[in-house]
Amino acid sequence: MNAIILGPPGSGKGTQGVRLAERLGVPKIATGDLIRAAMKDGTPLGIKAKQYYDQGLLVPDDIILELIAEVLALPEAAQGLVMDGFPRTVAQAEAVDALLAKRGTQVDRVIEFVVPEQELMDRMLKRAAVEGRADDTPETIRRRLEVYHEQTAPLVAFYEKRGLLTKIDAVGTVGEIAGRVSEVLGG
Ligand code: AMP
């Protein structure tokens, strides 16, 4: 099962992705986590990504396409994976399709987490206070939401056209939302 969790920053993709991956018995892989680790380790990817990351902008596709190729070649992802935070652009979505096709698989399901804008702002400001993420300042939060609408939201139509997308109301308790995700994916 190759599943994608699509949704704006702060919509709970990470929290739900872990639970979903456990249930499906596949890894959850988040490009955001990989980028944060690369920045911490000071790798070439981390150094290139930092200026975009810190401003709340997407890291350019040429950099991310390489990262996605590495992720989809991981042996632990051979039986499937939950993709959290990627693809984020149409070019990335096309790359995911091509890389999975090479492996003889495909995107099986895309779940879109729907959360009202004000709730997203509130959640991320709260998270900023707890985690102290560099990209969780009010200004970058607003920028990340704009970037989502401009560059990532077109993926909703991209996957809807193929009949792969299900929208989920992602407001509620962690358990309630996990239940809605399970309904979509069966089991
Ligand atoms: P996230 O943890 O998914 O919210 O991502 C945090 C930041 O990492 C984003 O604001 C981007 O700067 C960068 N990032 C993560 N995943 C991607 C991606 N697939 N494409 C471009 N930039 C990304």
Side-chain angles (χ1 to χ4, degrees), residues 7-10 13 30-36 39 49-61 64-65 67-68 84-89 92 124 127 133 135-136 140 144 147 152:
K13 300 187 296 291
T31 42
D33 290 344
L34 298 175
I35 291 167
R36 277 183 287 280
M39 291 194 309
K50 188 174 173 18
Q51 52 179 315
Y52 304 99
Y53 182 100
D54 284 351
Q55 293 185 70
L57 298 172
L58 290 190
V59 177
D61 276 338
I64 295 290
L65 293 188
L67 182 64
I68 290 178
D84 166 12
F86 78 101
R88 253 179 160 99
T89 63
Q92 291 180 24
M124 277 193 287
R127 182 169 79 184
R133 261 176 63 161
D135 61 341
D136 267 350
T140 29
R144 283 161 64 210
V147 163
T152 306

